[in-house]
Amino acid sequence: MKSLRTILTVVFSFAVVAAVILYTQIKKIASSNNQSKKQVDKQEKDIKTTAKRPLDFSAFESDLNKLGDQRYKEIEKSLIESDIKSIQKSIESGNLTYEELVLFYIKRIKEIDNNRLNTVLQLNPDAVVVAREMDEKKNNGEKLSDLHGIPVLLKDNIGTGDKLTNTAGAKVLEDSSCDRDAYIVKKLREAGAIILGKTNLSEWANFMSIDSSNGYSALGGQTHNPYGNYDVGGSSSGSGAGVSANFAPLAIGTETAGSIISPSSQNSVVGIKPTVGLWSRDRIIPLAIDLDTAGPIARTVEDAAMLLGELVGEDENDIVTSDVPEKEDYTTYLDKNGLQGMSIGIVTNKEVTSSYRNDDSDIINKIKEELINLGADVKNVELDDKAFRIDEHVDMMAYEYKTGVEEYLNAIGDNAPVKTIKEITGFNKRDLDSRAYYGQYFIEKARDINITEDENTKILSHNRSNTGSAIDEALENDKVDVLISLNNYLSGIYPIAGYPAITVPAGYRDSGEPIGLTITSTKFSEGLLIKAAYAYEQGTKHRIQPNIK
């Protein structure tokens, strides 16, 4: 068994929980401050290898020239940091077109992101064409949804049935495309959203090596934090940093344990990790299918809530989850006074607080005062010790990675250049320096895993029961509506339970590094989390645009 203190000390370096637990079996754990510094040091090196794929702007050159620098500056001045409603109002008034909007983001990516922040791994060559179609539909009185014409970036493990590849950042999948749209991509297109491109990520959703760098992939290189020399978070690094840097209004990331919450917190944006099963997992390259979920990343709670509700739907290709609610409009939970009378529990178990960074206690106290001023009843809460009793979790992760990735590769047929984990490790071994710079320990662990499906189910059931019941009992016994902490400090607990979480900007450390308030509760409590996060966001207005010009 592993204590949560052991888990969280490495979780604070913002790696997936699989990496966390395996790391504890091999090395002595350093303090969270040291772990954060190690991540920053790795990311500052900005490793570039022959595997890195350059961004291709060739499909847009003539259109970018037509947009021109003056028009670009006009759009930037009026729409930078704008939410979806503001963008739509500008288009409805005739001050902007969807085509110009897409070109604005592409030009911004070319001038600011390209070879600097590395948040975008590839661009959709048809994005401008689709934008023109959305303009035509709008002009003909056909607006499909609030997301109509809005550019969205997808983490590069979410399959699209177009000209984009689906790579997980791995050199071995450089030319591999998906056979069709993932269900959530199909829903995006039905809503009229425009797939702008794919974002960089921690390769294979951070299931690469013990010593990996958050935001690094062989194909994308190193993603950087737009606020400066701080950890970018992982594994949805490009999605979090890309939205923060205003390369798109919305992005979609994926999370197994902290991989939406961490980069959202680190880049001062809003991230929602939904209850497992609320969004379809179809045609998303998995890490651990029973824990995985995609989720929205945005600059505001309202935009994230809008995207969350739009993509809920029953999918026959996903694992059946009988209790998933029907599609819901989560924007109905937006209430500036939503914290009044809400009871909030700060998780204070020593397994969490002993792993705080130097200024975390002060930050928690500041947040507590803010919540009280906004009308909430705030108390300290300790979870039952069983929440920290996580057995053999790394074996489950390795088993599900192997079976899930191989199922995906076989499902996409001839689009997959390899079919097995063994082939992937063999391919990487032929040029480790460029294909697996930080090693591939976890992939090799998955290749050699020999537990059975029944054993895997037993591990999953035990760990899910311990974490889920600990959260539910705390909510009931302490009479609180939600639990809170910082960043992904609870990502050794709520994701294993399959429960949702939301993070919202809570300000900046003295160094300027962003920090997010993370809120969690029981399964399918997304509406409650959005209500609390929105009221906190509106009552504090902490987000500041990064200065990256």
Side-chain angles (χ1 to χ4, degrees), residues 112-119 222-226 245 247 548:
I112 299 176
D113 188 52
N114 194 28
N115 292 321
R116 288 176 59 190
L117 297 181
N118 287 329
T119 71
Q222 179 64 56
T223 304
H224 295 287
N225 192 315
F247 299 141
I548 52 175

Side-chain angles (χ1 to χ4, degrees), residues 497-508:
Y499 286 5
I502 186 170
T503 191
V504 60
Y508 303 84

Side-chain angles (χ1 to χ4, degrees), residues 14-70:
F14 314 127
V16 295
V17 77
V20 170
I21 298 174
L22 195 54
Y23 189 95
T24 65
Q25 295 175 327
I26 299 168
K27 288 189 174 184
K28 182 179 179 181
I29 303 305
S31 72
S32 54
N33 284 305
N34 287 337
Q35 289 298 329
S36 179
K37 184 179 184 304
K38 286 179 181 178
Q39 274 296 322
V40 171
D41 289 345
K42 287 175 193 170
Q43 292 166 37
E44 190 176 17
K45 289 180 182 177
D46 197 12
I47 302 301
K48 291 182 173 67
T49 72
T50 57
K52 188 178 185 305
R53 181 169 64 186
L55 268 175
D56 183 4
F57 294 91
S58 60
F60 316 110
E61 292 300 344
S62 63
D63 291 316
L64 288 173
N65 288 334
K66 290 177 186 176
L67 179 71
D69 291 341
Q70 183 60 37

Side-chain angles (χ1 to χ4, degrees), residues 92-164:
E92 289 296 329
S93 68
N95 293 327
L96 182 71
T97 66
Y98 293 121
E99 180 180 351
E100 287 181 315
L101 181 66
V102 166
L103 286 170
F104 166 75
Y105 288 122
I106 292 172
K107 184 173 177 64
R108 187 170 172 83
I109 290 166
K110 184 178 182 181
E111 294 188 350
I112 299 176
D113 188 52
N114 194 28
N115 292 321
R116 288 176 59 190
L117 297 181
N118 287 329
T119 71
V120 179
L121 209 161
Q122 52 181 318
L123 288 164
N124 179 6
D126 293 329
V128 176
V129 174
V130 176
R132 289 177 186 142
E133 293 173 358
M134 294 303 108
D135 277 321
E136 186 175 349
K137 287 180 182 291
K138 189 267 295 182
N139 293 336
N140 291 334
E142 184 184 358
K143 185 177 177 182
L144 300 178
S145 77
D146 289 333
L147 298 183
H148 183 101
I150 298 299
V152 181
L153 289 167
L154 306 176
K155 187 176 179 180
D156 200 10
N157 59 355
I158 299 171
T160 58
D162 52 19
K163 296 174 184 176
L164 293 167

Side-chain angles (χ1 to χ4, degrees), residues 4 7-8 11 17 256-258 273 291 347 349 351-352 383-390 393 463-464 466-472 483 488-499 520:
L4 190 63
I7 295 173
L8 282 176
V11 167
V17 77
T256 306
K273 181 269 181 193
L291 304 180
V347 178
N349 296 79
E351 291 87 350
V352 177
L383 300 177
D384 188 276
D385 286 346
K386 63 186 172 184
F388 317 138
R389 296 199 289 268
I390 310 300
H393 197 64
N463 293 342
R464 179 168 285 171
N466 274 9
T467 52
S469 60
I471 291 173
D472 290 341
L483 302 173
N488 65 340
Y489 289 11
L490 295 180
S491 67
I493 302 174
Y494 72 81
I496 298 175
Y499 286 5
T520 189

